[in-house]
Amino acid sequence: EICACLVGSEMCIRDRIYAMLDRDTAAAVVVNVGYSKGKTLGQIAVEKPDSLEWYVNQYNGPDNLLRAASKYLIDSALQKAG
């Protein structure tokens, strides 16, 4: 599979991780930084869903799984709502 972006770029890595996720796997990802450290993304989605957008758009750390799983959960919620 060829990415539409530069090989090795952050976006390409996140997209590859995203493609391997399902809802349960994304929800089980544990946050390892900041205010929500130790919580799963599933817990955050229930308690403070706006934080998921922060992990997608503002988080600058090295955890591509955290970014991809956050985006997956947002997309899943939007798909259910629409």
Side-chain angles (χ1 to χ4, degrees):
E1 177 182 323
I2 299 174
C3 278
C5 52
L6 295 173
V7 174
S9 73
E10 292 295 313
M11 182 67 79
C12 187
I13 293 167
R14 188 189 72 199
D15 290 347
R16 287 179 183 220
I17 294 169
Y18 182 99
M20 293 186 279
L21 292 171
D22 60 36
R23 194 189 72 72
D24 291 337
T25 304
V29 171
V30 177
V31 175
N32 58 6
V33 295
Y35 178 78
S36 297
K37 185 176 183 175
K39 292 186 178 186
T40 65
L41 289 179
Q43 290 173 301
I44 294 168
V46 170
E47 297 171 7
K48 196 172 178 193
D50 289 345
S51 291
L52 294 178
E53 272 193 57
W54 186 87
Y55 291 118
V56 173
N57 298 314
Q58 304 296 319
Y59 170 69
N60 291 322
D63 193 341
N64 288 307
L65 176 59
L66 180 60
R67 272 190 288 279
S70 296
K71 180 162 177 36
Y72 189 94
L73 291 176
I74 291 169
D75 291 350
S76 293
L78 291 173
Q79 189 175 36
K80 279 187 177 183

